[in-house]
């Protein structure tokens, strides 16, 4: 099933789509938060049983599909073609970096480019939202049992901060406020073939990325099991799985400037749109080799 959080005049409402109808989860859950995510199965049953009020999604404005995640954890250079365009060898183990929770934004929010930024890049990514605490998973456990569902993320990145001013870590270029638009949908794992999803991005309606998760170096179960050996993944945490080739870092495209519009989409999971705002650089930066 598909879950979302929608802005209304009465505040944010959680909804579920069952069949061709959307239903209001407000009375049952209040909101989609780390506290209520374990109740999604109950919510799906209530919707299928016709025990919830219908919700009109016409002209809906979506919020991030989970409120107040505790952690945003990302995997870098996880598509073979993207590692190649970045001038790097494919990693032998998953490369992890962190984004701060205040980077989370709604899928249609504008993005303000920092005044000092010169190399803002786009990255369409498949993300997982944790539904059950995962720590030190064994080979006998299915990592996807710990995932509430899949969603779409744009990992907006500032490459100067990330590479030239990083001091050896990437998070400086990954933590601009609002740089993790997420959603619109949280789609349950049983409704997603995570190994064969098409990911695409456009800048000002010009194609940029077009790939599938078949190009992942480390697949979704491997990522969850691997991360759980080093940290506890808590309910509501967001795990980004990496971006395909076709970003500005490749040198084939200019970096983003105020007025640019980025669109991203993953088949079956929905689409996003961000307008770039702010002062921005005097001139568009040019791409160059390095990690992402």
């Amino acid at each position: 099933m598909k879950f979302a959080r929608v802005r209304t005049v009465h505040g944010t409402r959680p909804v579920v789509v069952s069949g061709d109808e959307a239903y209001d989860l407000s009375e049952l859950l209040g909101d989609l938060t780390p506290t209520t995510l374990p109740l999604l199965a109950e919510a799906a049953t209530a919707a299928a049983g016709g025990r919830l009020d219908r919700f009109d999604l016409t002209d809906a404005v979506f919020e991030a599909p989970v409120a107040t995640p505790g952690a945003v954890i990302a995997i870098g250079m996880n598509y073979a073609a993207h590692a190649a365009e970045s001038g790097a060898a494919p990693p032998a183990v998953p490369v992890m970096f962190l984004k701060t929770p205040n980077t989370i934004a709604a899928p249609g929010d504008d993005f303000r480019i920092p005044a000092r930024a010169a190399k803002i890049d786009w990255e369409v990514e498949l993300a997982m939202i944790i539904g059950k605490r995962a720590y030190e998973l064994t080979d006998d456990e299915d990592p996807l049992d710990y995932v509430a569902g899949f969603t779409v993320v744009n990992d907006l990145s500032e490459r100067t901060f990330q590479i030239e001013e990083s001091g050896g870590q990437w998070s400086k270029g990954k933590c601009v406020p609002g740089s993790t638009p997420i959603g619109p949908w949280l789609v349950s794992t049983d409704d997603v073939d995570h190994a064969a999803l098409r990911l695409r991005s456009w800048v000002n309606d010009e194609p940029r990325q077009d790939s599938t998760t078949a190009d992942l170096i480390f697949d979704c179960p491997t990522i969850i099991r691997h991360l759980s050996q080093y940290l506890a993944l808590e309910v509501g945490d967001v795990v980004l799985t990496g971006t395909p080739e076709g970003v500005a870092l490749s040198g084939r495209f200019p970096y983003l400037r105020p007025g640019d519009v980025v669109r991203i989409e993953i088949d079956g999971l929905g689409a996003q749109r961000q307008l770039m705002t702010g002062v921005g650089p005097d001139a568009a930066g040019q791409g160059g080799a390095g990690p992402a």
Side-chain angles (χ1 to χ4, degrees), residues 213-260:
T213 51
D215 194 43
L216 279 169
I217 298 169
F218 305 104
D219 66 11
C220 293
T222 299
I223 290 168
I224 297 298
R225 180 178 285 111
H226 180 84
L227 291 176
S228 80
Q229 307 307 310
Y230 301 91
L231 66 152
L233 297 169
E234 303 288 357
V235 178
D237 287 354
V238 180
V239 180
L240 283 60
T241 62
T243 196
E245 61 91 20
V247 297
L249 184 67
S250 68
R252 291 154 42 205
F253 310 108
Y255 287 101
L256 297 171
R257 301 186 64 183
D260 287 343

Side-chain angles (χ1 to χ4, degrees), residues 130-135 137 146 232-235:
I130 301 301
K132 183 169 66 173
R133 190 176 193 263
Y135 185 54
L137 299 186
Y146 296 81
L233 297 169
E234 303 288 357
V235 178

Side-chain angles (χ1 to χ4, degrees), residues 5-124:
R5 300 171 64 242
V6 179
R7 296 174 187 170
T8 75
V9 295
H10 303 293
T12 300
R13 295 289 183 93
V15 299
V16 58
V17 173
S18 177
D20 296 326
E21 298 290 343
Y23 298 91
D24 190 341
L25 292 172
S26 299
E27 290 190 12
L28 183 63
L29 299 183
D31 199 357
L32 295 181
T33 70
T35 301
T36 61
L37 280 178
L39 303 176
L40 292 188
E42 178 183 342
T45 300
R51 303 200 307 270
L52 302 172
D53 293 333
R54 291 184 179 180
F55 190 94
D56 185 3
L57 285 176
T58 305
D59 300 323
V61 178
F62 291 89
E63 288 280 8
V66 61
T68 62
V72 183
I73 303 156
I75 303 298
M77 289 192 297
N78 196 29
Y79 282 77
H82 177 53
E85 76 171 351
S86 300
V93 296
V95 176
M96 185 192 86
F97 61 90
L98 298 175
K99 304 192 74 169
T100 52
N102 67 357
T103 63
I104 295 291
D109 283 354
D110 295 348
F111 176 72
R112 181 187 175 277
I113 297 176
R116 201 169 60 83
K119 295 181 179 180
I120 294 289
D121 212 343
W122 59 88
E123 296 188 9
V124 58

